[in-house]
Amino acid sequence: MAGDTQITPALSDAITILGAAGIVIPTFARFKINPVIGFILVGIVAGPFGLGALTGRYPVLDWVSITDPEGIRPFAELGIVLLLFSIGLELSFRRLVAMRKMVFGIGAAEMMLTAALIGGALIVANLPPISALWLALALAMSSTALVLPISGTQSPVGRAALAMLLFEDLALVPMLFLIGAAGGAATSSLGWIAVEGSVVIIAILLVGRFVLPALFAQAARSKKPELFLAISLLVVILAATVTRSVGLSPILGALVAGLVIAETEYRNEVEVVIEPFKGLALGVFLITVGMRIDVGALLNAWPELLGALVAVILVKALVTGALLRMVGARLGTAAETGLLMASPSETTLIVLGAAGAVGILQPDAVAFWSAATAIGLTITPMLASLGRFAARRVDHTTLSGTEIGPSTDKTIIFGFGRVGRMVANMLNEHGQQYLAVDSDIDGFLDARKSGYSVLYGDVSRRELIEKLDLDQAKAVVLTMDDPALTKRVAKRLRAEHPSLPIIARARDTDHAAALYRAGVTDAVPEALEASLQLSEAVLVDIGVAMGPVIASIHEKRSELRAEIMDAGQLEVEPSLGRRRVRDSTIRQV
């Protein structure tokens, strides 16, 4: 009966968790805040120190609180297992071989030196040496889940961060092995656990090498994604169970299973099918992290907590930046990477939990540093933004003496990414001089090495535009991938240089209309032009006659010109790809 329905602890916890995944996390994504932070905050608010503490007084809060933390612990463990499995997928042997110098050079040096400095400080603070060692190693790790999405892997900052993160993820193998072995030392000798663990890991590698490809091939023939999911989960669970049976951590088995699958040609498919389950299960784990944080208690101990976190961030940032400078990285790259990698990691929480479970760390130390790590994860995006700001300031100071050179009879290109380079190449092809300006230091240096005529500078700064003496330029081309900046620069250029031809890259018809209102001579909506060219190719390739196709493309352009003219409230119809007739020619006629 509907009236007899009761809210059980399991039901209320499930509603809270699924509500976090379905409502809270998309909201965070909307504001470009990493879901890791969102899940931690959900744990803080809904956990036993938040709304969960008020359910006795206000029963309605059962629907939005977590009242049985132990009940969701198995799901949290599954989240850790799947996280380590996904890390294993990234740690393919081929990738490690290709990056071995960076990974085992700068990556190893960064982690070991950081751990040595933090460990020394902890020993001075009267922490036992063994506890200080494991705590320092845990705090020396940085967040793969947050850092790589922010930095990418193609820029100098991304490549440096990837190398260090790969070593840290790889270091989890011996760390978890030793922690798990220490936990089993009460019933078995450490040496025997090491032998059994080695045999199990070798067996997993062999089975994965010779059995898994056949299983995945069968799943591929069936063309059913659920088979890939079933096999992947089976491999992870079996590997975790087997390693646990010999006294090691189950997440060690999951990591090795990921390494095995990473060597097969089915790695990408496995990553795709496992991603939703990994994300939700990892979210549960992060919620449990937030549940451990007693905000009231932290408010009483905030000086110690803040001081400890700031000390860790400073040590990691300085060590990372100094090592990168020693191997020849730019000062801006070193500063940005140092700040980006400065916070502890979600793997820090894993090591803290494992060390606390076997008694290496005391419960109060685990709680204190888990709270510090959770706060560190929360501020990682802010540190990344601070790092980018510091890099720009450093690089601007370093390159402030760059000569601008004359702009007479040159086409000035603002922004020198993919589009800007194509424009420069076409100008070169027709013997036209140009000068490009770009504020991306990595793109600037790469363009200089490639022989392009490019200047480092921020086009949003009035002083730079004044130095360019644009009254002597042939035209200005705006190719920046920032609609608001493009409009702002166009408006300023038109006000200061009324007769200067300004050609701008636009996102769509609305952006093109806004640029025409700002005063550009021509605006080219890249998405629409690409769509028209794609449509033309499709129609021709499926057998439609070329003449009608070209006529329909011209007709569509005419419709788009009308849309832009109407949206921008223009008195003159924009060209939008149509050949322009110069006023002088009209006068001659």
Side-chain angles (χ1 to χ4, degrees):
M1 297 278 302
D4 297 332
T5 302
Q6 294 183 350
I7 303 175
T8 64
L11 178 60
S12 67
D13 294 349
I15 291 173
T16 302
I17 293 168
L18 294 176
I23 300 175
V24 177
I25 303 311
T27 302
F28 273 74
R30 171 76 175 174
F31 295 99
K32 298 182 179 180
I33 301 175
N34 195 283
V36 169
I37 300 170
F39 279 118
I40 292 175
L41 292 178
V42 168
I44 293 173
V45 173
F49 297 110
L51 296 178
L54 303 175
T55 53
R57 190 180 309 171
Y58 306 103
V60 70
L61 293 178
D62 280 336
W63 288 95
V64 291
S65 63
I66 299 174
T67 55
D68 184 18
E70 293 300 319
I72 67 171
R73 189 174 299 278
F75 298 100
E77 292 179 355
L78 177 62
I80 300 173
V81 165
L82 291 178
L83 172 63
L84 268 292
F85 175 67
S86 65
I87 289 174
L89 289 174
E90 292 292 326
L91 283 174
S92 68
F93 294 112
R94 295 187 188 94
R95 194 172 202 178
L96 288 175
V97 170
M99 299 183 63
R100 60 188 181 278
K101 291 184 179 179
M102 281 288 289
V103 172
F104 297 102
I106 192 71
E110 184 268 339
M111 184 174 179
M112 294 300 105
L113 183 55
T114 300
L117 292 175
I118 295 175
L122 292 172
I123 291 174
V124 171
N126 295 322
L127 198 68
I130 296 298
S131 299
L133 168 66
W134 286 108
L135 181 53
L137 287 171
L139 294 172
M141 308 184 87
S142 301
S143 174
T144 301
L146 290 179
V147 169
L148 289 186
I150 292 173
S151 69
T153 58
Q154 302 303 316
S155 66
V157 172
R159 288 192 293 270
L162 176 62
M164 289 181 277
L165 291 169
L166 281 175
F167 181 84
E168 291 173 6
D169 292 338
L170 189 64
L172 274 176
V173 176
M175 289 172 65
L176 295 175
F177 185 95
L178 293 173
I179 290 174
T187 57
S188 174
S189 68
L190 187 63
W192 182 246
I193 291 175
V195 171
E196 286 184 327
S198 300
V199 171
V200 165
I201 290 173
I202 292 173
I204 293 173
L205 293 173
L206 291 175
V207 170
R209 174 69 177 83
F210 296 105
V211 177
L212 277 183
L215 288 175
F216 283 126
Q218 186 61 36
R221 292 188 191 98
S222 70
K223 298 183 179 179
K224 293 183 178 180
E226 58 268 25
L227 282 182
F228 271 98
L229 176 61
I231 294 172
S232 301
L233 290 177
L234 178 64
V235 170
V236 174
I237 293 171
L238 284 178
T241 303
V242 171
T243 51
R244 171 175 276 175
S245 68
V246 295
L248 298 177
S249 171
I251 54 182
L252 175 60
L255 190 145
V256 175
L259 276 170
V260 169
I261 294 179
E263 295 305 310
T264 70
E265 58 268 34
Y266 305 102
R267 165 189 167 185
N268 292 331
E269 182 67 19
V270 172
E271 283 183 316
V272 170
V273 299
I274 207 75
E275 184 65 28
F277 291 88
K278 183 197 76 174
L280 183 58
L282 178 59
V284 178
F285 164 66
L286 293 170
I287 287 175
T288 63
V289 172
M291 289 163 49
R292 300 174 194 160
I293 301 176
D294 184 350
V295 177
L298 293 181
L299 290 176
N300 296 327
W302 71 265
E304 295 85 356
L305 186 66
L306 183 61
L309 181 59
V310 169
V312 170
I313 288 174
L314 285 176
V315 169
K316 295 182 70 176
L318 290 173
V319 169
T320 302
L323 287 174
L324 287 174
R325 286 292 288 166
M326 288 174 62
V327 298
R330 289 185 298 102
L331 185 57
T333 299
E336 183 175 352
T337 309
L339 286 167
L340 180 64
M341 298 281 290
S343 288
S345 165
E346 64 278 353
T347 47
T348 300
L349 300 170
I350 295 173
V351 176
L352 289 175
V358 299
I360 293 175
L361 294 175
Q362 296 300 313
D364 56 343
V366 173
F368 179 86
W369 287 106
S370 293
T373 300
I375 297 172
L377 284 168
T378 304
I379 65 172
T380 296
M382 289 181 280
L383 289 174
S385 298
L386 179 61
R388 285 191 292 269
F389 174 78
R392 285 196 299 268
R393 295 295 299 174
V394 167
D395 289 327
H396 174 69
T397 301
T398 304
L399 298 170
S400 58
T402 304
E403 281 294 326
I404 289 181
S407 58
T408 305
D409 291 331
K410 290 181 180 179
T411 298
I412 310 300
I413 304 172
F414 285 173
F416 208 62
R418 171 180 50 84
V419 177
R421 288 199 183 199
M422 180 61 70
V423 173
N425 290 335
M426 293 303 296
L427 289 169
N428 269 333
E429 186 75 18
H430 293 276
Q432 300 295 312
Q433 291 186 315
Y434 71 90
L435 175 65
V437 182
D438 197 67
S439 60
D440 176 19
I441 183 62
D442 297 318
F444 162 77
L445 293 174
D446 182 64
R448 274 286 180 90
K449 289 179 183 178
S450 301
Y452 288 100
S453 176
V454 59
L455 167 73
Y456 175 78
D458 185 354
V459 299
S460 66
R461 295 174 56 241
R462 182 179 295 273
E463 305 84 36
L464 174 68
I465 294 179
E466 290 174 351
K467 289 181 180 180
L468 286 170
D469 192 17
L470 294 179
D471 286 326
Q472 306 300 319
K474 278 190 172 183
V476 170
V477 185
L478 307 179
T479 72
M480 302 88 75
D481 189 21
D482 184 338
L485 176 61
T486 304
K487 179 182 175 182
R488 189 166 64 250
V489 172
K491 192 172 183 179
R492 178 187 301 166
L493 291 177
R494 179 53 68 218
E496 298 175 357
H497 308 279
S499 62
L500 178 68
I502 304 172
I503 302 91
R505 166 193 181 186
R507 286 278 183 90
D508 48 33
T509 54
D510 290 337
H511 187 213
L515 290 176
Y516 277 114
R517 287 196 301 270
V520 302
T521 312
D522 279 306
V524 182
E526 57 180 351
L528 298 179
E529 283 299 315
S531 300
L532 290 174
Q533 293 177 34
L534 181 62
S535 301
E536 180 181 342
V538 170
L539 290 167
V540 171
D541 287 345
I542 65 176
V544 181
M546 177 69 75
V549 169
I550 293 177
S552 65
I553 294 295
H554 286 317
E555 183 179 349
K556 180 58 67 175
R557 274 204 180 95
S558 179
E559 293 175 6
L560 294 173
R561 284 196 296 270
E563 288 182 17
I564 293 175
M565 187 175 178
D566 181 61
Q569 298 179 352
L570 307 176
E571 296 180 358
V572 180
E573 187 180 59
S575 63
L576 196 63
R578 185 178 59 186
R579 301 297 298 174
R580 298 180 60 83
V581 181
R582 296 186 181 276
D583 293 339
S584 60
T585 304
I586 295 175
R587 285 195 296 268
Q588 291 175 5
V589 174

